[in-house]
């Protein structure tokens, strides 16, 4: 079967760095997405990785290792507004998105 | 710049009642999707459409029907609501799904409670 695993909840301090991990087992691979979802709101696109390595976009970076079936989202200089759920999704060989349950990130002052 | 608009935002139904959720997008996107989101689970695809007049089943289609009569609109219907359909429903759209890096644009969601 297809499976995406992420931690359910993480807590970090304002100004710090946090890494949210995602491991996957899917039928083929056509890329991995990260979305941010604030409570009661719609998911919004953060990043897309299809090749191994690190993609940096401002305070947010996303890493992919296809051989390990592993990705992480790195958030630097955490701000209170970063409190949200972070959703990992993998596109399989049929271009279908498989979603993880999301990681709720709590930022404390 | 409305993007993807969903109505209504909240709805309460009694078991057996029917309802329709409306999704509209103004980005001229070909693909549209209906997802449900439940606590502790990833987004699950109910139905999707690859263009006007076409629909297809997703992962959890039972108990739902959809229609895409116009390119910009995608309707989700519940013929006879059941408590198991209590969930948050999201509509989404994308330019295409035939390119792997196409991101989804989501509506603001509908909280549906079935009593």
């Amino acid at each position: 079967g297809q499976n995406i695993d992420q931690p359910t909840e993480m807590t970090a301090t304002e100004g710090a760095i946090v890494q949210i991990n995602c491991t996957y087992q899917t039928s083929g691979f056509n890329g991995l997405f990260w979305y941010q979802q604030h409570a009661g709101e719609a998911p919004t696109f953060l990043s897309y990785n299809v090749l191994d390595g690190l993609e940096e976009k401002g305070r947010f970076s996303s890493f992919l290792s296809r051989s390990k079936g592993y990705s992480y989202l790195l958030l630097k200089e955490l701000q209170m507004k970063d409190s949200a759920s972070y959703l990992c999704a993998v596109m399989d060989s049929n271009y279908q998105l498989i979603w993880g349950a999301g990681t709720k990130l709590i930022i404390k002052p | 710049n409305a993007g993807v608009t969903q109505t209504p935002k909240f709805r309460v139904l009694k078991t057996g009642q029917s309802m329709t959720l409306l999704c509209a997008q103004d980005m001229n996107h070909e693909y549209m999707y209906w997802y449900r989101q439940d606590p502790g689970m990833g987004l699950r695809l109910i139905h999707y459409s690859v263009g006007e007049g076409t629909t297809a089943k997703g992962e959890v289609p039972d108990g739902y029907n959809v229609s895409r009569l116009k390119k910009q609109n995608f309707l989700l219907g519940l013929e006879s609501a059941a408590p198991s359909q209590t969930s948050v429903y999201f509509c989404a759209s994308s330019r295409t799904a035939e390119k792997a890096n196409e991101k989804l644009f989501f509506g603001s969601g509908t909280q549906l409670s079935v009593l």
Side-chain angles (χ1 to χ4, degrees):
Chain A
Q2 309 205 86
N3 194 50
I4 310 285
D5 284 318
Q6 322 177 219
T8 301
E9 187 174 296
M10 299 182 69
T11 301
T13 305
E14 191 177 15
I17 300 172
V18 71
Q19 177 176 312
I20 302 174
N21 296 326
C22 171
T23 57
Y24 62 89
Q25 289 180 306
T26 56
S27 303
F29 180 83
N30 273 311
L32 185 144
F33 294 81
W34 285 96
Y35 282 78
Q36 180 189 59
Q37 185 179 23
H38 286 101
E41 297 184 9
T44 55
F45 171 81
L46 283 178
S47 67
Y48 170 78
N49 294 68
V50 67
L51 300 176
D52 289 352
L54 187 68
E55 296 269 351
E56 297 187 73
K57 196 184 290 186
R59 294 190 298 115
F60 291 12
S61 302
S62 55
F63 171 84
L64 175 67
S65 169
R66 289 172 297 173
S67 63
K68 295 182 179 178
Y70 167 70
S71 172
Y72 67 73
L73 182 69
L74 191 72
L75 290 73
K76 303 176 185 176
E77 301 169 13
L78 286 169
Q79 301 175 9
M80 298 304 293
K81 67 179 182 179
D82 297 330
S83 292
S85 289
Y86 292 86
L87 313 182
C88 174
V90 173
M91 185 166 280
D92 69 11
S93 56
N94 295 319
Y95 294 95
Q96 298 291 322
L97 273 176
I98 313 300
W99 294 84
T103 299
K104 183 179 181 180
L105 177 63
I106 299 168
I107 309 297
K108 295 186 174 180
Chain B
N1 54 344
V4 180
T5 304
Q6 264 181 259
T7 54
K9 198 157 179 63
F10 301 95
R11 189 73 189 267
V12 178
L13 291 177
K14 294 182 179 178
T15 296
Q17 287 184 320
S18 62
M19 71 162 288
T20 300
L21 300 183
L22 172 63
C23 177
Q25 52 94 4
D26 61 2
M27 296 173 284
N28 201 35
H29 284 173
E30 291 295 330
Y31 281 63
M32 297 187 75
Y33 313 81
W34 277 106
Y35 284 95
R36 59 178 290 173
Q37 187 175 42
D38 300 292
M41 302 182 72
L43 287 163
R44 291 185 292 168
L45 183 64
I46 305 171
H47 286 279
Y48 65 100
S49 168
V50 304
E52 181 178 321
T54 71
T55 63
K57 294 180 180 179
E59 179 187 356
V60 289
D62 294 342
Y64 305 95
N65 57 76
V66 288
S67 64
R68 183 113 180 256
L69 298 179
K70 294 183 178 180
K71 185 177 182 178
Q72 62 268 34
N73 296 337
F74 195 30
L75 305 180
L76 177 71
L78 281 71
E79 294 174 343
S80 179
S84 60
Q85 294 178 304
T86 293
S87 186
V88 180
Y89 291 85
F90 285 101
C91 176
S93 71
S94 65
R95 289 188 305 173
T96 176
E98 295 164 4
K99 287 176 62 179
N101 63 343
E102 284 293 331
K103 61 185 178 184
L104 298 182
F105 294 80
F106 285 86
S108 57
T110 298
Q111 173 70 62
L112 174 65
S113 296
V114 183
L115 307 178

